[in-house]
Amino acid sequence: MNKPNIVILGAGYGGIMTTVKLQKKLGVNDANITLVNKHDYHYQTTWLHENAAGTLHHDRTRLPIKDVVDFSKVNFVQDTVLSIKPDDKKVVLENGELDYDYLVVALGFEAATFGIPGLIENAFTISSINSSRLIREHIDYNFAKYNNEAENKQERLNIVIGGGGFTGIEFAGEIANRVPELCKEYDIDRSKVRIIVVEAAPTVLPGFDPQLVEYAMNALEAKGVEFKVGAMLKECKPDGIVIEKDEKREEIPTNTTVWAAGVRANSIVEESGLEVNRGKVEVQPDLRAPSHQDVFVVGDCALIMNEETGRPYPPTAQIAIQEADVAAHNLSVLIKGGTELETFHFNNQGTVASLGHDDAIGVILGDKKLFGWSASVMKKIIDNRYLLKLGGVGLLLKKGKFNIFSK
Ligand code: FAD
Ligand code: NAD
């Protein structure tokens, strides 16, 4: 008997959780499960800002896929997806092709650059282990270089963060903690270093609780972060950026622009011929693509409308993990010949954003506000809970964050 082929693309939050759930729900005689990922490791995207700042080594953030996926049940293919051909039920990889009966698209996000000149060429993004490690190395190099030139160049010590959303603010908190260490290491006066967050909206973290936003700005300012709000980043050059505020343009010299001003779905999705809305697949309640009933889409490639606000749910790890549960359940029902598919309902467990490892802000349980140390502990509990869900106590003990009392 021919077993159906299930192919899962991407081993981030959505893809790896779908795989881990499916390997429990299906036996080897039920289906062939194939997981495709660029690297042989899974990484926690939600920790990448720490790797980029150099406050956490990237080996803490990544873990071998073989540690959580059972390779006797799942065929793992380390390769890069080039395109999806849903009408032919095929996926084209750099090194071959795969046929599928059921597909799960979990290829994550890429930076949205909105056509701003020079961004692709000159800015850095916090989007993978490789891109984050590059930021850390680049900042280290610029600090090291500063005292080794005839003329000191201020652009080496100006770190610009484009976008004051959650990613920009979390990175600002980490880099503000790292800068004193860098200054000590490279004999640089702290007062010479600038960390500048450029945010187009009238406030950072637009739409978030104003009291917590104020707390975050005060906490970051106390660590030396400058804010330029209501200021639009207009151009990025190799040695500076151009911003516009109140119709006036200003140029800030910098060799380091970290672009954190928004994400879009992996462009493979838009190019695939799957029906898209804002570059994502607006999935049915059972998480299948409306145009292709054999394709499930989870994580940042999927769009689900929040009926209460009339706007899409923001792309988060939280929703990706919850979607993986439903996608795995529905796939196992279909494989076993069932027709009753589960409907996805987002269970909002709150939002907690770090301001460095010992400080954070958040809203949990609907409207309970948290800030400071208790919020930073909550953030670590959320991170640890994910590790427990993914790989049990062993993984939690190996990779968990337990430094709740250290500075
Ligand atoms: P990802 O987790 O990004 O995984 C995509 C996977 O696909 C990766 O393994 C990648 O290598 C692989 N891949 C990509 N392209 C290819 C290809 N062509 N071929 C093969 N493999 C490929 N959300 C929260 O809920 N809480 C947070 O605290 C939080 N913090 C964040 C902090 C930062 C710095 C960032 C950038 C995001 C944060 N988010 C947070 C958002 C969250 O990380 C994303 O929504 C989540 O990662 C989406 O999961 P995903 O499975 O869709 O994609
Ligand atoms: P975002 O879209 O949430 O924020 C981007 C910010 O950049 C916005 O405030 C926007 O006004 C600003 N911006 C856009 N264009 C600009 C320009 N030209 N100049 C200056 N500012 C500009 O994007 P993000 O912060 O990358 O977050 C992506 C997703 O990941 C979101 O869904 C977010 O909720 C999630 N995330 C969550 C957490 C957390 O829960 N702790 C942390 C990081 C990211």
Side-chain angles (χ1 to χ4, degrees):
M1 196 186 90
N2 273 350
K3 290 187 282 179
N5 287 330
I6 302 175
V7 174
I8 299 156
L9 306 180
Y13 290 98
I16 205 150
M17 282 308 299
T18 304
T19 310
V20 166
K21 292 272 163 181
L22 264 185
Q23 75 186 8
K24 287 187 188 139
K25 287 177 189 287
L26 296 177
V28 282
N29 295 324
D30 294 322
N32 299 312
I33 305 173
T34 302
L35 172 65
V36 184
N37 196 55
K38 239 182 220 178
H39 309 285
D40 61 358
Y41 56 81
H42 161 73
Y43 56 83
Q44 295 212 60
T45 306
T46 60
W47 295 8
L48 289 178
H49 57 289
E50 299 175 58
N51 308 140
T55 48
L56 184 78
H57 194 270
H58 52 269
D59 282 339
R60 286 288 311 283
T61 298
R62 62 179 169 178
L63 56 104
I65 289 174
K66 68 175 169 43
D67 285 4
V68 286
V69 171
D70 182 346
F71 283 3
S72 69
K73 290 182 167 174
V74 175
N75 171 33
F76 174 64
V77 176
Q78 184 182 344
D79 208 336
T80 299
V81 178
L82 296 183
S83 62
I84 302 169
K85 300 196 177 308
D87 293 336
D88 303 332
K89 291 173 164 275
K90 269 189 198 314
V91 177
V92 181
L93 309 177
E94 221 163 62
N95 300 299
E97 275 190 1
L98 290 171
D99 294 319
Y100 65 81
D101 296 294
Y102 292 102
L103 183 70
V104 180
V105 181
L107 290 169
F109 69 96
E110 54 193 46
T113 49
F114 311 114
I116 296 173
L119 269 185
I120 292 173
E121 300 82 353
N122 302 315
F124 297 88
T125 62
I126 306 174
S127 47
S128 66
I129 290 280
N130 284 316
S131 76
S132 305
R133 181 174 41 208
L134 179 63
I135 296 172
R136 184 199 72 203
E137 295 282 337
H138 172 85
I139 292 174
D140 267 67
Y141 174 79
N142 275 281
F143 275 65
K145 193 82 179 155
Y146 182 76
N147 279 326
N148 285 288
E149 288 169 315
E151 190 191 332
N152 291 151
K153 293 183 178 157
Q154 183 56 38
E155 57 266 37
R156 295 205 183 277
L157 304 185
N158 287 352
I159 299 167
V160 170
I161 302 167
F166 284 111
T167 301
I169 291 301
E170 289 198 324
F171 178 67
E174 293 298 326
I175 195 68
N177 279 358
R178 177 87 203 287
V179 159
E181 193 188 297
L182 283 166
C183 289
K184 204 161 171 223
E185 167 114 11
Y186 296 109
D187 302 322
I188 291 167
D189 182 349
R190 170 65 185 89
S191 65
K192 292 205 165 88
V193 180
R194 293 177 71 191
I195 304 167
I196 307 155
V197 176
V198 179
E199 168 54 52
T203 166
V204 297
L205 303 175
F208 202 54
D209 181 272
Q211 196 189 358
L212 295 178
V213 171
E214 195 188 337
Y215 175 90
M217 287 182 79
N218 289 339
L220 293 177
E221 272 169 352
K223 291 192 215 182
V225 176
E226 298 169 44
F227 290 98
K228 291 197 180 279
V229 293
M232 191 88 175
L233 196 147
K234 287 285 189 186
E235 190 181 346
C236 183
K237 303 176 185 183
D239 53 5
I241 56 149
V242 179
I243 64 169
E244 189 175 289
K245 184 178 160 86
D246 302 328
E247 293 176 15
K248 281 196 208 87
R249 290 205 168 206
E250 182 193 348
E251 198 157 334
I252 302 173
T254 180
N255 284 343
T256 312
T257 302
V258 176
W259 182 243
V263 295
R264 47 157 297 153
N266 192 316
S267 46
I268 290 173
V269 170
E270 189 157 24
E271 291 155 8
S272 68
L274 289 166
E275 202 177 292
V276 292
N277 175 359
R278 302 163 217 215
K280 301 181 178 195
V281 177
E282 186 169 355
V283 288
Q284 297 173 177
D286 58 17
L287 302 182
R288 288 188 290 180
S291 58
H292 293 81
Q293 294 294 287
D294 45 11
V295 178
F296 286 82
V297 187
V298 297
D300 285 8
C301 296
L303 184 141
I304 299 177
M305 282 292 173
N306 178 345
E307 311 255 293
E308 278 169 32
T309 62
R311 299 221 306 269
Y313 285 113
T316 61
Q318 188 185 158
I319 197 166
I321 294 163
Q322 292 180 23
E323 287 165 355
D325 276 349
V326 173
H329 172 83
N330 287 347
L331 267 166
S332 73
V333 169
L334 289 170
I335 295 291
K336 290 174 183 166
T339 51
E340 295 277 301
L341 299 190
E342 212 173 87
T343 290
F344 177 78
H345 296 288
F346 179 48
N347 171 18
N348 188 350
Q349 292 166 342
T351 300
V352 184
S354 74
L355 305 169
H357 83 88
D358 53 353
D359 200 359
I361 48 170
V363 178
I364 57 163
L365 305 172
D367 59 359
K368 184 165 172 35
K369 293 181 203 178
L370 290 179
F371 51 87
W373 180 77
S374 59
S376 78
V377 172
M378 179 51 70
K379 180 90 178 131
K380 285 167 191 149
I381 291 173
I382 294 167
D383 291 341
N384 289 345
R385 199 174 50 190
Y386 169 69
L387 290 168
L388 190 65
K389 189 172 160 84
L390 179 65
V393 177
L395 185 65
L396 171 64
L397 292 176
K398 215 155 128 190
K399 293 284 180 180
K401 287 184 174 171
F402 301 106
N403 57 333
I404 55 173
F405 295 112
S406 62
K407 276 276 157 201

